[in-house]
Amino acid sequence: MLAPEVEARPWVEQLDVDDASYRTQLAYLFDRSAFYREKLGEAGVASPRKAGGLADIARLPLTEKRELTATRTPDNPIGAHLCAPPSEIVRIYSTSGTTGAPTYIPLTAGDLENWVTGSARSYAASGITAGQRIVSTYNAGPFVAGAALAAIDRVGLCHIPVGTGNTERLIAAIELLRPEAAVLTPSYAAHLVEWAAEREVDLRGSSVERVLVAGEPGGGETAFRAKLEEGWGARVTEAMGIGDIGASLWGECEEQDGMHLGARGFVHAELIEPDTEVALEMDDGATGELVLTHLQHRAAPLLRFRTRDHVQVRTSPCKCGRTSPRVRCVGRTDDMLIVRGVNVFPSAVREVVSAFAPEVSGHILVKPQAAGVKQEPPLPVSVELARGANADAALAEAIRERLRSVLLTQTRVDLVPWGSLQRSEYKSKLVEH
Ligand SMILES: [Zn+2]
């Protein structure tokens, strides 16, 4: 642990600390944020005293990303949630929303410091330690993930940035510089396993002992993770952030049972039922959409921000000694389809299908027939066969049956030849409308 006095602090004590931070943050919002003064006022919460403490947070309204972009004006391109004067802003990131309109994410020096501190705890949870080498494959400099890469320095690692788009250069760096760890998207990690197998490159025998995956869900899916671990001969752990809140907020430890909240103390996590927006208890095994609140942010703090990440929570004690709750990302609420009332995440379809290895490659593509979220069964799913495997009606039927029993959804499984679904050096597309 980078900071045992923080990371192993009993969670109830953390909540006490967070309650104090939250009350200070609320007072700051009422003082500085035009956006939240108006939003909370409309919700009948006219003062910090009326808002109460963390235990009452579910009474406050949620914040949607589109609300933030809607307050942008030529005079204030960041939005009405900006709280700090220009002189205090040291960095401005941008994210491209699904709507295409970028959101600007300003940070003060203190905000940036907290981002890096939280990210460093998240990365260090994987077991990487000072003095080791790590190769990174993100073209992340301009993006929020660039701040997560600063965590590599904080942990005390030797950073070997290689970037995306040149697999030969990456493999050469691994072979010649012998890093103990690599950080990449799960899609790219999977692509490299195939790439190496086709060229008789011994990825399994390489120096890499730990593979840190982030940027999309998947690294925690049992069958998918097993495939990566087999191909790399390395332990695979995942990390996750959300641009509007922090770079790498969550990081999995060596127990591989969900990602700990590395940004504890800086961010408060809640769970809601996405359709009704009702708050859910963060109990062991609970699932729902993750909602995050800044506790110590200055530039543009957010309150009850909807992440659109659908997660499962673990609160059972973890052998690593970290006491924060853990999450596993099931999928993005934005990718979710509703098939006759049942929520279906494409990443969950992939997880079920991947268990049919070695008959299948693990690549899938869900092809909804109707526009929008609501679909009628059967939901068409293309499943790519493994190299050399033949389309077999019994296999298609077995996959269809397993999807029905696990996801409670009727599908139409089309087996497609090896190599026919797109590979990605960044993030996989699992749905094609
Ligand atoms: Zn742990």
Side-chain angles (χ1 to χ4, degrees):
M1 271 182 250
L2 284 186
E5 71 286 2
V6 177
E7 294 175 79
R9 175 188 288 150
W11 190 247
V12 286
E13 286 178 26
Q14 182 70 54
L15 287 176
D16 282 345
V17 174
D18 289 352
D19 184 65
S21 303
Y22 172 70
R23 289 169 190 267
T24 306
Q25 181 87 82
L26 272 176
Y28 181 82
L29 286 175
F30 274 99
D31 185 37
R32 302 269 193 110
S33 174
F35 177 81
Y36 280 113
R37 256 197 316 269
E38 185 180 338
K39 187 174 172 67
L40 294 172
E42 280 172 7
V45 183
S47 67
R49 198 178 47 77
K50 278 203 154 179
L54 262 191
D56 310 305
I57 192 170
R59 295 207 313 249
L60 304 185
L62 295 159
T63 302
E64 303 266 6
K65 188 166 179 132
R66 59 178 158 73
E67 292 177 84
L68 304 175
T69 44
T71 66
R72 293 172 47 174
T73 62
D75 288 339
N76 183 0
I78 291 172
H81 59 305
L82 175 64
C83 293
S87 60
E88 289 179 22
I89 306 294
V90 300
R91 193 166 300 177
I92 302 174
Y93 284 111
S94 45
T95 61
S96 54
T98 40
T99 56
T103 321
Y104 292 118
I105 300 161
L107 299 171
T108 67
D111 296 339
L112 187 57
E113 166 65 23
N114 292 346
W115 272 29
V116 176
T117 300
S119 298
R121 288 182 206 147
S122 300
Y123 275 18
S126 71
I128 49 174
T129 52
Q132 294 186 325
R133 291 180 172 180
I134 186 166
V135 63
S136 74
T137 67
Y138 295 116
N139 292 344
F143 305 108
V144 165
L149 295 182
I152 291 175
D153 306 328
R154 184 67 58 88
V155 177
L157 300 161
C158 166
H159 186 186
I160 307 167
V162 172
T164 309
N166 192 330
T167 297
E168 278 87 0
R169 199 169 60 183
L170 170 63
I171 296 296
I174 290 174
E175 286 177 345
L176 296 170
L177 303 174
R178 305 191 55 77
E180 285 89 352
V183 55
L184 62 183
T185 60
S187 291
Y188 193 29
H191 173 66
L192 283 164
V193 170
E194 291 179 358
W195 188 94
E198 280 163 12
R199 288 162 185 79
E200 297 186 5
V201 169
D202 184 15
L203 199 57
R204 244 193 102 71
S206 81
S207 59
V208 175
E209 298 161 1
R210 297 177 197 283
V211 174
L212 280 66
V213 294
E216 60 179 355
E221 293 167 17
T222 311
F224 188 71
R225 180 181 346 235
K227 190 174 91 167
L228 294 185
E229 294 202 322
E230 168 67 22
W232 280 84
R235 188 183 291 252
V236 172
T237 53
E238 60 174 343
M240 177 173 84
I242 179 95
D244 304 82
I245 299 289
S248 190
L249 300 167
W250 307 83
E252 202 172 32
C253 70
E254 293 176 276
E255 299 301 319
Q256 297 176 305
D257 188 29
M259 295 173 272
H260 287 284
L261 181 57
R264 59 186 292 165
F266 306 129
V267 169
H268 176 71
E270 286 178 87
L271 215 53
I272 62 164
E273 210 286 301
D275 300 331
T276 62
E277 301 185 351
V278 169
L280 304 169
E281 289 297 321
M282 290 278 283
D283 289 335
D284 199 47
T287 63
E289 182 182 330
L290 196 57
V291 167
L292 298 174
T293 295
H294 280 128
L295 295 171
Q296 297 192 32
H297 220 57
R298 308 300 285 180
L302 298 178
L303 181 65
R304 303 199 78 212
F305 181 73
R306 291 191 68 164
T307 65
R308 305 278 165 191
D309 284 318
H310 199 88
V311 300
Q312 183 172 51
V313 175
R314 306 246 199 294
T315 58
S316 54
C318 187
K319 279 188 201 147
C320 75
R322 291 174 182 82
T323 52
S324 74
R326 314 187 287 292
V327 298
R328 218 196 104 194
C329 186
V330 180
R332 297 274 302 161
T333 311
D334 295 342
D335 292 339
M336 191 181 81
L337 298 167
I338 302 175
V339 184
R340 203 171 273 169
V342 176
N343 296 351
V344 179
F345 291 95
S347 47
V349 172
R350 178 174 64 185
E351 179 165 14
V352 171
V353 171
S354 293
F356 285 85
E359 271 86 21
V360 301
S361 72
H363 296 283
I364 62 133
L365 189 62
V366 178
K367 296 177 162 175
Q369 296 297 287
V373 173
K374 291 207 167 82
Q375 303 293 322
E376 280 302 310
L379 182 69
V381 179
S382 293
V383 172
E384 192 185 278
L385 291 160
R387 184 202 299 272
N390 291 318
D392 169 348
L395 175 63
E397 176 56 25
I399 294 172
R400 198 188 66 76
E401 177 54 29
R402 185 85 61 88
L403 287 168
R404 191 196 60 74
S405 67
V406 177
L407 304 179
L408 310 177
T409 305
Q410 296 289 353
T411 55
R412 192 190 77 218
V413 172
D414 299 310
L415 299 175
V416 300
W418 161 264
S420 56
L421 297 183
Q422 203 190 341
R423 269 54 170 170
S424 173
E425 292 188 356
Y426 192 44
K427 301 185 189 185
S428 286
K429 196 170 126 204
L430 300 181
V431 182
E432 184 177 87
H433 274 279

